[in-house]
Amino acid sequence: QLNDLSILDNNVAITATDGVYTISDIQENHSITASATKDMYKVTFHYEDEAGQAKTSEKKGIIGASIEFPSGDETNHVKDRVHTSVEGWYKEEGYVNKVEEVTIDHSNVDLYAKYLTQYEVGLPDANGAYELKSLEGETLPSLVEKDDTLNFKVALSEGYSQGKNLVVKAGDTVLEPNDGVYSVIVNSPLDITVSVDKNVYNVTHTVSDGFTFTGENTVNYGDDYEFTLTPSEGNKNLIPLVKNGEDVLSPNNEGKYIISSVKADQSISVEYLSIVDAIYRDEFKGVYTNATLLDATEKKATVNDGWFFFNKEFFDQAQKEGFTHMAYDFSSSGEHGFLYGADM
């Protein structure tokens, strides 16, 4: 339909009779022009502002024109960790007939926004202690629809597998698992928190009489375990054979024994031997080695009919390095020896 139709004859408006325009008594050239406007229809969009108050906006177009929906910047809002966004546009306030696109027809149209409310869910920084996973094994969402139930599992890492003092909270509420699944109905923004202690491993030790073992009875996962051995006055000339399971341990320069990065229970045994007994024990080979070795190839010691001969240079160096005892490895080669006792 055309509106505001105007017909001009040489810039002079003329009218129609029964829809017919007539120019009579033509004696010169005539210029006929016409102008008109098409019918315009409007689409009224009903939605809410950030405060939840009703708001409208209008867009107009001619028949057949496509109309864009209002942008999310205009209709969607985030406030106090609550996200409200348009789920869709409907022809009725009761949200019955959803409209996917708008094309101007022969009437005005009202469209109503249906809102989706989502709440932010804060997830903790696990620092490698655990992972929070959905029941499908996916990462938990940071936005959850209002009144939906959030289900998840806590997968503990290796160093926390004992679940010692494990506490899972939604806000201030402690969650209890059901077959390993934690559940919370999300009806407001909330934060999930998890606290769990490292695995704790036991340390047992067996030490010969006359010697004092100084060390804790437990150790946390991944920590280094330290201990010292102190002989009584009458036992200072004996040699300690220290084992962690089958591994032979030796002290550091401060006289401390260290088991690095503990990840299981530890069993320590200490056996004290005389110098003669120690010479024949395979466990001592290479344990107390130092830059100064007894080595026939370096001519620091020679063997003659079962007798060992050491030059003065060797003893002077050994004394400077703090060694007080010597043992020799009677291996098939008969060449290598070692010093021990720098901590005695």
Side-chain angles (χ1 to χ4, degrees), residues 7-73:
I7 303 297
L8 300 179
D9 175 20
N10 290 337
N11 295 321
V12 177
I14 60 176
T15 58
T17 302
D18 296 329
V20 177
Y21 293 88
T22 303
I23 302 175
S24 304
D25 191 21
I26 296 177
Q27 298 180 9
E28 57 182 358
N29 294 329
H30 288 257
S31 175
I32 307 299
T33 58
S35 63
T37 59
K38 291 185 177 181
D39 281 348
M40 299 285 289
Y41 295 95
K42 68 180 179 179
V43 179
T44 304
F45 297 94
H46 300 261
Y47 52 96
E48 297 176 357
D49 62 15
E50 186 174 356
Q53 300 299 313
K55 187 176 181 180
T56 60
S57 65
E58 294 181 353
K59 294 186 179 182
K60 295 181 179 180
I62 62 175
I63 294 174
S66 294
I67 302 296
E68 292 184 353
F69 294 115
S71 68
D73 291 340

